[in-house]
Amino acid sequence: MKNKLYIKTYGCQMNEYDSDKMADVMRACGDMTQIDRPEEADIILFNTCSIREKAEEKVFSDLGRARALKQGNPDLLIGVGGCVASQEGEAIIRRAPYVDVVFGPQTLHRLPQLIAARRASGRPQVDISFPEIEKFDHLPAARATHGTAFVSIMEGCSKYCSFCVVPYTRGEEVSRPFVDVMREVDELTAQGVGEITLLGQNVNAYRGETEDGDTVDLAFLLQAIATRPLVQRLRYTTSHPREMSQRLIDVYATTPKLAAHLHLPVQSGSDRVLAAMKRGYTVLEYKSVVRKLRAARPDISITSDFIIGFPGETEADFEATMKLIDEVGFDVSFSFTFSPRPGTPAAEMADDTSPETKLARLHRLQARINELEQAYSARMVGSVQRVVVENVSRKDAGEMAGRTDNNRIVNFAGSPGMLGRFVEVRINAVSGHTLRGEALHP
């Protein structure tokens, strides 16, 4: 097997995790080096996302550039994985016949076999099946690079929101067995990982089976991981408001290792729009969850997702969203204008809001969230934050970047020897969306 691998990742943290596992799988079956330049690659893999229309089109744009590389190097192998692959399947080969392998999120562990079959037969290979939890049983041992790591604890989604393709591209919710998750956590902490982020499309819907046949929820799993002495901080993403049980909320009060940050997508502040989205909760129910969370952890930072211009959204619906933003005081948001995804119920709904109106609403929402974010950051100036050091600045090797408990990025003077460590940093200033500080004990 040739040994230069390039992977381009689109979309969510689940995809980031899957890309890391693709690299691990490829390394485990040959002398494989991951590189940053597709021009030098022997194998190019695109790990795709189909949540946004533009993201999907960007994949085919990037495939066009890869085709040009293949014309100069006929042995170059091109693979498309992830959610666009799962959704489109054979259609990718018809649209881009120079693609060699197509594989879904649940079949990335079969990548070496697909590549071998492509080389042996000379024909493109497609495998977008849903083999339940098989993927996790065939992945190489967890491997850490710095002090933080993702651990995927479940796959798929069973909520079927009217705008979302995830249930169709990743399948129904399937949870990893409890002992498998704990084993991966132990492997990572043995390599020096201090901060663990648990991943799932609806991670708080986790229902993992134990060795004696019982089922445990995310609250139990978090408490179990927190008992591990080498684990210093815990996070999880992405959550669904319907799955924020009182048991899970109580963990914020009893488990200091659980970070004071929660990403809890609300999507809209209008009950009418939420019903059309099939979200399964009302604005009042969402606010009740937030109130309970803040009672359990007063300093918790709440971030969210918003879809602007969902079919039928009126000016009054949008004003209800703006009201919710002020009532909750969201710290950061990921917000987009609605774009229909093929095969979803929302794609068949009448979308009579003009693009100009959608963009105007989006800009207004983002401006308000930015104001709240800046005010939140300003309140942190002068405080001392426990930061896990994640990166060295590309511009200055003497500059480190770390993440606070409430998920803020802090830049400060330091050395690469700090990577992976937890350090105390005094916050001195706000700089855009990040903070500036100084390490107290470098």
Side-chain angles (χ1 to χ4, degrees):
M1 182 175 287
K2 292 188 176 182
N3 62 4
K4 290 183 181 178
L5 171 68
Y6 172 81
I7 301 177
K8 179 159 185 176
T9 308
Y10 309 76
C12 66
Q13 287 172 313
M14 286 292 292
N15 269 19
E16 296 285 352
Y17 176 89
D18 283 350
S19 289
D20 288 343
K21 293 305 177 184
M22 288 178 200
D24 289 347
V25 165
M26 297 300 290
R27 272 190 291 265
C29 67
D31 181 19
M32 185 67 55
T33 302
Q34 193 169 353
I35 61 173
D36 296 327
R37 289 176 52 80
E39 298 83 2
E40 301 170 4
D42 302 299
I43 298 174
I44 294 176
L45 301 178
F46 296 103
N47 189 13
T48 63
C49 172
S50 57
I51 296 297
R52 310 301 310 165
E53 183 178 20
K54 289 181 181 177
E56 190 173 316
E57 286 306 312
K58 191 169 190 326
V59 172
F60 286 100
S61 174
D62 287 343
L63 277 173
R65 283 188 281 274
R67 180 187 189 181
L69 295 176
K70 191 163 187 169
Q71 288 171 338
N73 175 17
D75 293 331
L76 173 65
L77 192 144
I78 300 171
V80 179
C83 290
V84 172
S86 182
Q87 188 173 15
E88 300 295 330
E90 297 273 1
I92 291 176
I93 303 295
R94 291 194 293 272
R95 181 169 172 179
Y98 48 89
V99 170
D100 300 286
V101 294
V102 176
F103 56 100
Q106 314 296 10
T107 52
L108 66 86
H109 60 288
R110 298 177 180 171
L111 193 48
Q113 291 84 357
L114 291 170
I115 289 173
R118 168 68 179 92
R119 286 177 168 150
S121 68
R123 295 190 299 274
Q125 302 295 306
V126 178
D127 186 349
I128 55 170
S129 58
F130 293 102
E132 293 290 316
I133 211 74
E134 174 192 309
K135 176 173 80 173
F136 295 109
D137 295 333
H138 290 80
L139 293 177
R143 185 180 57 88
T145 51
H146 294 314
T148 64
F150 293 121
V151 175
S152 184
I153 65 171
M154 64 181 298
E155 285 280 346
C157 178
S158 302
K159 298 297 184 287
Y160 289 92
C161 299
S162 63
F163 55 82
C164 186
V165 297
V166 167
Y168 312 103
T169 59
R170 285 186 176 264
E172 296 270 316
E173 292 167 359
V174 180
S175 297
R176 287 179 74 183
F178 171 74
V179 67
D180 287 2
V181 176
M182 296 302 293
R183 184 183 300 116
E184 183 167 347
V185 168
D186 289 341
E187 289 171 353
L188 289 164
T189 55
Q191 298 173 59
V193 169
E195 179 176 300
I196 299 289
T197 300
L198 305 180
L199 291 180
Q201 249 69 43
N202 281 314
V203 68
N204 51 345
Y206 176 78
R207 301 292 184 271
E209 188 173 341
T210 64
E211 289 182 293
D212 55 10
D214 289 337
T215 301
V216 299
D217 61 6
L218 180 61
F220 184 95
L221 179 62
L222 288 166
Q223 290 170 317
I225 295 174
T227 65
R228 297 298 205 248
L230 296 177
V231 174
Q232 299 188 57
R233 185 185 286 164
L234 272 170
R235 303 182 188 275
Y236 60 92
T237 196
T238 291
S239 304
H240 194 290
R242 278 170 53 190
E243 302 287 353
M244 286 304 302
S245 67
Q246 188 61 52
R247 275 177 49 79
L248 181 54
I249 292 169
D250 289 343
V251 179
Y252 283 93
T254 61
T255 311
K257 289 183 179 181
L258 182 57
H261 167 255
L262 175 63
H263 188 69
L264 191 63
V266 64
Q267 306 299 0
S268 174
S270 161
D271 285 341
R272 199 178 65 80
V273 173
L274 288 173
M277 289 178 169
K278 292 191 160 79
R279 291 292 287 172
Y281 54 83
T282 65
V283 172
L284 186 62
E285 288 167 335
Y286 184 91
K287 289 193 294 185
S288 175
V289 169
V290 173
R291 186 175 64 253
K292 292 174 184 176
L293 283 162
R294 288 190 167 137
R297 185 71 70 83
D299 62 340
I300 193 168
S301 164
I302 306 289
T303 59
S304 199
D305 293 345
F306 295 92
I307 296 174
I308 306 304
F310 189 81
E313 180 188 80
T314 65
E315 193 65 35
D317 294 324
F318 176 69
E319 291 300 335
T321 298
M322 295 300 294
K323 180 183 177 185
L324 179 66
I325 288 169
D326 283 336
E327 289 176 338
V328 172
F330 292 106
D331 182 18
V332 175
S333 80
F334 297 97
S335 47
F336 307 92
T337 57
F338 171 77
S339 62
R341 302 288 71 219
T344 62
E348 306 302 318
M349 297 178 183
D351 183 6
D352 53 5
T353 304
S354 72
E356 294 79 15
T357 299
K358 290 180 184 178
L359 276 176
R361 290 174 183 172
L362 177 67
H363 292 156
R364 186 177 155 205
L365 179 145
Q366 289 175 335
R368 181 58 183 143
I369 294 280
N370 285 340
E371 289 174 359
L372 293 170
E373 179 187 355
Q374 292 299 307
Y376 192 100
S377 293
R379 290 194 295 271
M380 294 178 67
V381 173
S383 69
V384 175
Q385 300 287 328
R386 190 162 174 261
V387 168
V388 60
V389 186
E390 295 183 334
N391 295 299
V392 180
S393 169
R394 292 183 179 180
K395 297 180 180 178
D396 184 352
E399 280 279 311
M400 300 295 110
R403 192 175 300 272
T404 65
D405 191 66
N406 59 5
N407 210 41
R408 277 290 194 279
I409 298 296
V410 185
N411 297 303
F412 55 95
S415 65
M418 287 180 167
L419 282 172
R421 286 171 42 199
F422 281 80
V423 299
E424 301 289 312
V425 177
R426 177 179 287 112
I427 308 303
N428 295 330
V430 180
S431 178
H433 294 287
T434 62
L435 302 170
R436 290 288 313 172
E438 58 177 322
L440 298 185
H441 307 288

